[in-house]
Every structure is written in structure tokens, then in C-alpha cells.
């Protein structure tokens, strides 16, 4: 199993280029199924989850070709409407093919995603929305089966804003007969990016980015090119890398507009930054102070930055309370941070961090993608050597992370030992 070894304590300096957003690429790839012709997608991050989605499209019969950060996808012909367990178990976002398959090909069979390290993560809202649009949905032998001659527009209310749920329903509604309104929709920038792509292909969508999205179904979608938005979570992770090592880093080709909550919270903690249209410069900070954070759906503070902020708060002065409201058990990194000397107590959905601590390098185990990022950041700040096991989680969502960090002066290396296991939940 691969390990990443970090010798910490080096202030990071220099510039880093932000990659395209994984969580925008995944639904955009899935949405190519909605129409024919060749779509050329640029600024595609080469991360394992994106390659997995490409592989899934290939299994369904689409032609997928990667050329560096460009992907060419042609879904003129679909030969299967089944997303198999072996693939879905490695990536929950595979469920994003459900809406597009059903809308264009009248049926879809998608393995039911299981639980994962950060909570139970149901897909009931995806299914309820599709049923409201007239799909016959059933559960058979661990598979979701959905059928509909042609979906019909419906008024859908999501009990909780769900990102991939909103995306699935928006994609399905694009080809439905009549108008669909999704209320209490999620508002993440990745949803807007998907809507922009669909609109370029001929879909009629209004309100993406707000909590009411209206989709007027059309008969068919045509091909289009698209440039993926910058990854806001990768951007945030490198900002914390700069702050936690008391370094000075410049992030290029990012979109600060998508990071309001994080930038405000970092400033509250004492991090100084100059923000330009597509660039953020972070200045070396002397002392940081503990702050309280509550994760929420966008535009609230992103749950995908929670682990990284817990790591940062361990070196800040005073008490910080980090409340996780999106996922039920997303504090797996806390035990590992404690092994590095952090003083953190978890009480229900809150982590109380008492800082500052001098983190000390230790062997630690990564449990999921963002938890792994939190541990890398702690390792960069810690005295001595940190060894992170099960680091394959990082490859799911960070493009060339070790290489980018080395470019900023970090001492970080990957030690390969055999092949990474397929099971990555
Ligand atoms: C997406 C992101 C993930 C991020 C998360 C929250 C992708 C590929 N992944 O995941 O990185 O951490 O948003 O910002 O974009 N829920 C239900 N029923 C449903 C669906 C969701 O109860 O049918 C609940 C979930 O349990 C959770 C909350 O809604 O408590 C939000 O989850 P959701 O937005 O759906 O997360 P994902 O789309 O899976």
C-alpha cells in the first residue's frame, strides 16, 4: 500500500496552479450521456475519481478519450444502462449516471451506493425526485432500477439541499416533457457549472445557483465544449498549507468568488491574503487565533474543508469549536491528529480544539479524501516525520498533490508498495 512521508516544519513558499474542480467534472462527464456528438471538456483534473467516471461511461458504451487535461467524450451510442457494483462501490458519485441514463435511454440500473467513512449518505431524494417525474423506481438485489418512457416535468422539493441529488434531477429534467421546478435545490458552484454546460448543449435551465431551479425539458441536447471551473476545495487546501506552515503562497487560476466563507474564516483566524480575480496571495502569518466554524451547504462553510481547518486550528491560540452539520461522522481524522499531539475532543457533531499545540510527526492512517488532506497539512506543520498510510484516498481528488507541494518547498515523497486496492470507500 502506498505511503506518503513528510518531513514537516518547512514554511511553504512559491506559486501553485489550481486544477479543475473534481466535483464539477464528475456530473459534467455523466451529463454527456444526455446527448450525442463529441463534447470536448477542458481543465479536467487527472484524479482517480474522474478516471473512474470515464471508465463507467466506457462501460456504458460511450467513447472517452483523455489527452492531458482535455477529455473528448462521445455518447452517440450507449450499449448498456447498468452501472455495476464493482465501480459504484469505489465511487459514490457513480450514481450521477442514473438521471441521464433514465432520461435519454428510458431505463437505468445503478448499484446502490453503500455507506462510507463519513456517514450513511442515502440517495432517497434522488429517487423520490425521479419518481415524481414519473419514473418507476425499484430496488432489486442491491441495485436501483428506474424506468420511464419519457420523464415528465414535476414540482420537486428536496427535504435537504443535496448536491449530487440536485445534479441528477437537473440532468433528468433537461430531457423531460414539460417544466420541472426543483425547490430547496443545492447552490454549489459545481451545480452552476453543470447547468452552464447543459445550457450550451441546448437545455433550458434558469436559477442554477439559487435554491429554485426551473428546467424546461427539450427533445434533445447537442454537443458542446466546456472549460471546468477551478477546484475550490483544492484552493482552500493549499491556502491552509500556506497558513499552517506560516509560509507565503500564491495560488493561480483559482476562483476566489467561490470561497467567500473560507476566506472570511481564514481572515478571522488572522491569515492575511490579497485576493485578485483569479489569484490569491497568502502572506506569512505570525500568530493565528482559534475560531469557531460551522459547516453548511453552500454558500456556508464547506464540509469538504472541515478536516483541513481542524488541522489548522491545532496550531492556533485558544479554543476552536468546529461543528459538522452536513455529514454525521466526519471526524475520523481527529483520532489521527491526536496521535500527532493535537488536543481535540469530539462531542457529538462538534470537535473542540485546544491550541496551540506543537504537532509531532507520527505514523497516521487516512480514512477518506478530505481527512487525508487534513493529515498531510498536519504533517507539513509537524516537527519530524509523518508517515500517512492508505494515501490512495488523496489520489481520488487531488491532482499531483505531492508534486505541487514539493514545488512550494515541502519535503514530501510517495513510497509505492504494490497496487492500490480497488475498495476506496
Ligand atoms: C457532494 C460532494 C461532496 C461534498 C457534499 C457536501 C460531489 C461528487 N460530492 O456529495 O464532496 O462533501 O456534496 O457538500 O459533488 N442526503 C439525504 N438524501 C439524499 C441525498 C443526500 O438525506 O438523497 C443528505 C446527506 O446524507 C447529507 C446531505 O444530504 O447529510 C448533503 O449530502 P449531498 O449534498 O447529497 O452530498 P453528495 O452530493 O453525496
Amino acid at each position: 500500500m502506498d505511503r506518503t512521508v513528510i518531513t514537516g516544519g518547512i514554511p511553504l513558499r512559491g506559486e501553485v496552479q489550481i486544477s479543475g474542480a473534481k466535483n464539477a467534472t464528475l456530473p459534467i462527464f455523466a451529463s454527456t450521456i444526455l446527448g450525442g456528438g463529441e463534447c470536448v471538456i477542458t481543465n479536467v483534473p487527472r484524479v482517480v475519481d474522474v478516471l473512474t467516471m470515464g471508465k463507467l461511461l466506457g462501460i456504458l458504451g460511450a467513447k472517452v478519450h483523455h489527452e492531458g487535461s482535455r477529455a473528448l467524450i462521445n455518447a452517440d451510442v450507449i450499449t448498456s444502462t447498468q452501472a455495476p457494483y464493482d465501480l459504484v462501490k469505489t465511487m459514490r458519485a457513480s450514481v450521477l449516471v442514473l438521471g441521464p441514463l433514465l432520461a435519454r435511454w428510458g431505463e437505468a440500473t445503478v448499484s446502490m451506493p453503500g455507506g462510507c467513512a463519513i456517514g450513511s449518505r442515502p440517495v432517497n431524494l434522488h429517487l423520490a425526485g425521479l419518481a415524481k417525474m414519473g419514473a418507476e423506481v425499484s430496488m432489486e438485489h442491491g441495485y436501483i432500477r428506474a424506468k420511464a418512457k419519457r420523464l415528465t416535468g414535476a414540482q420537486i422539493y428536496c427535504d435537504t439541499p443535496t448536491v449530487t441529488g440536485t445534479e441528477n434531477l437537473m440532468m433528468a429534467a433537461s430531457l423531460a416533457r414539460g417544466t420541472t421546478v426543483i425547490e430547496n435545490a443545492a447552490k454549489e458552484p459545481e451545480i452552476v457549472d453543470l447547468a452552464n454546460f447543459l445550457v450550451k448543449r441546448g437545455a433550458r435551465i434558469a436559477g442554477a445557483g439559487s435554491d429554485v431551479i426551473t428546467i424546461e425539458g427539450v427533445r434533445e441536447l447537442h454537443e458542446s465544449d466546456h472549460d471546468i471551473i477551478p477546484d475550490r476545495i483544492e484552493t482552500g487546501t493549499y491556502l491552509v498549507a500556506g497558513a499552517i506552515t506560516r509560509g507565503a503562497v500564491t495560488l493561480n487560476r483559482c476562483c476566489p468568488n467561490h470561497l467567500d466563507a473560507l476566506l472570511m474564516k481564514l481572515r478571522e483566524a488572522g491569515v492575511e491574503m490579497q485576493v485578485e480575480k483569479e489569484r490569491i496571495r497568502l502572506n506569512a502569518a505570525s500568530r493565528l487565533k482559534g475560531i469557531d466554524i460551522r459547516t453548511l451547504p453552500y454558500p456556508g462553510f464547506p464540509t469538504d474543508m472541515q478536516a483541513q481547518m481542524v488541522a489548522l486550528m491545532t496550531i492556533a491560540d485558544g479554543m476552536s469549536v468546529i461543528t459538522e452539520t452536513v455529514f454525521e461522522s466526519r471526524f475520523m481524522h481527529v483520532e489521527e491528529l491526536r496521535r500527532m499531539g493535537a488536543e481535540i475532543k469530539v462531542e457529538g457533531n462538534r470537535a473542540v480544539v485546544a491550541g496551540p499545540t506543537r504537532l509531532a510527526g507520527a505514523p497516521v492512517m487516512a480514512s477518506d479524501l478530505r481527512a487525508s488532506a487534513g493529515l498531510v497539512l498536519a504533517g507539513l506543520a509537524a516537527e519530524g516525520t509523518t508517515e500517512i498510510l492508505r494515501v490512495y484516498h488523496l489520489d481520488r481528488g487531488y491532482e499531483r498533490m505531492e508534486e505541487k507541494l514539493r514545488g512550494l518547498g515541502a519535503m514530501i515523497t510517495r513510497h509505492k508498495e504494490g497496487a492500490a486496492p480497488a475498495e476506496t470507500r
Side-chain angles (χ1 to χ4, degrees):
M1 206 179 288
D2 288 9
R3 293 171 298 136
T4 283
V5 179
I6 305 171
T7 305
I10 301 167
L12 299 189
R13 286 181 195 285
E15 303 202 2
V16 64
Q17 171 112 345
I18 298 305
S19 300
K22 165 184 87 82
N23 285 354
T25 309
L26 296 176
I28 285 173
F29 268 34
S31 78
T32 58
I33 300 173
L34 286 166
E38 184 171 78
C39 295
V40 180
I41 320 290
T42 48
N43 204 28
V44 171
R46 276 192 82 89
V47 296
V48 169
D49 275 8
V50 166
L51 299 178
T52 303
M53 182 58 87
K55 206 161 139 192
L56 174 55
L57 295 179
I59 289 173
L60 301 178
K63 294 201 173 65
V64 182
H65 182 67
H66 289 273
E67 280 173 3
S69 62
R70 250 160 57 105
L72 291 77
I73 307 178
N74 184 317
D76 276 343
V77 181
I78 288 294
T79 50
S80 161
T81 52
Q82 176 157 342
Y85 175 66
D86 276 353
L87 248 153
V88 179
K89 77 170 190 216
T90 70
M91 185 181 71
R92 301 179 46 81
S94 310
V95 77
L96 284 166
V97 299
L98 179 63
L101 280 176
L102 178 63
R104 177 142 173 254
W105 301 96
E107 58 172 43
T109 305
V110 176
S111 173
M112 180 80 184
C116 74
I118 65 175
S120 73
R121 302 186 76 174
V123 289
N124 58 313
L125 300 173
H126 303 226
L127 305 186
L130 293 173
K132 240 184 148 200
M133 294 167 75
E136 248 178 64
V137 182
S138 59
M139 210 65 69
E140 286 167 34
H141 306 292
Y143 279 81
I144 303 162
R145 284 190 201 283
K147 271 191 180 172
K149 258 207 165 113
R150 189 174 175 200
L151 294 168
T152 44
Q155 191 91 16
I156 298 167
Y157 170 79
C158 296
D159 289 331
T160 190
T162 153
V163 177
T164 48
T166 302
E167 291 164 349
N168 238 335
L169 298 175
M170 194 167 76
M171 291 188 282
S174 297
L175 293 183
R177 186 186 302 116
T179 303
T180 300
V181 180
I182 308 173
E183 294 196 39
N184 200 25
K187 298 182 278 202
E188 272 67 4
E190 293 76 17
I191 292 170
V192 178
D193 206 31
L194 170 64
N196 288 342
F197 175 58
L198 293 174
V199 167
K200 281 196 243 170
R201 300 186 75 189
R204 294 196 184 154
I205 301 173
S210 79
D211 52 11
V212 182
I213 306 179
T214 306
I215 307 116
E216 231 182 276
V218 296
R219 265 283 171 199
E220 57 180 22
L221 298 186
H222 50 77
E223 75 269 17
S224 175
D225 298 351
H226 190 72
D227 196 48
I228 302 279
I229 55 168
D231 196 309
R232 63 195 165 98
I233 305 301
E234 189 197 25
T235 309
T237 303
Y238 285 102
L239 284 176
V240 175
I244 205 169
T245 60
R246 303 186 200 284
V249 297
T250 298
L251 313 188
N252 294 321
R253 211 167 189 275
C254 58
C255 182
N257 273 346
H258 295 162
L259 287 155
D260 281 351
L262 175 70
L263 297 183
M264 280 193 252
K265 281 291 168 184
L266 286 173
R267 285 199 170 111
E268 191 185 328
V271 177
E272 280 178 30
M273 290 166 287
Q274 279 103 47
V275 174
E276 296 165 25
K277 194 161 164 258
E278 292 187 349
R279 176 178 298 148
I280 304 175
R281 293 177 203 276
L282 177 139
N283 308 332
S286 43
R287 291 201 84 88
L288 296 178
K289 70 171 198 295
I291 54 163
D292 294 345
I293 297 168
R294 194 178 174 83
T295 67
L296 283 170
Y298 191 85
F301 190 92
T303 172
D304 284 353
M305 278 303 299
Q306 182 257 101
Q308 300 89 319
M309 288 305 275
V310 171
L312 182 64
M313 288 301 104
T314 65
I315 67 147
D317 293 343
M319 193 80 94
S320 315
V321 181
I322 291 119
T323 309
E324 172 60 62
T325 78
V326 180
F327 290 116
E328 59 202 40
S329 54
R330 204 173 195 179
F331 282 124
M332 306 279 279
H333 42 286
V334 164
E335 280 302 324
E336 304 302 303
L337 290 172
R338 274 205 203 112
R339 306 189 60 252
M340 299 176 73
E343 283 185 36
I344 312 174
K345 258 197 241 155
V346 175
E347 294 164 355
N349 68 341
R350 287 192 305 183
V352 181
V353 185
T357 32
R358 268 183 97 79
L359 295 173
V364 289
M365 185 82 81
S367 55
D368 69 68
L369 170 58
R370 305 305 171 185
S372 316
L375 296 178
V376 168
L377 296 172
L380 291 171
E383 229 167 64
T385 304
T386 296
E387 189 183 47
I388 305 174
L389 306 175
R390 295 210 179 143
V391 74
Y392 54 84
H393 288 295
L394 271 185
D395 301 335
R396 296 186 53 183
Y398 288 94
E399 189 172 51
R400 298 179 288 104
M401 189 185 214
E402 284 105 336
E403 193 186 315
K404 287 190 185 186
L405 286 171
R406 275 197 299 274
L408 295 171
M411 278 179 70
I412 177 168
T413 45
R414 174 76 63 102
H415 296 253
K416 292 214 174 284
E417 277 167 34
E423 172 64 71
T424 55
R425 274 194 278 126

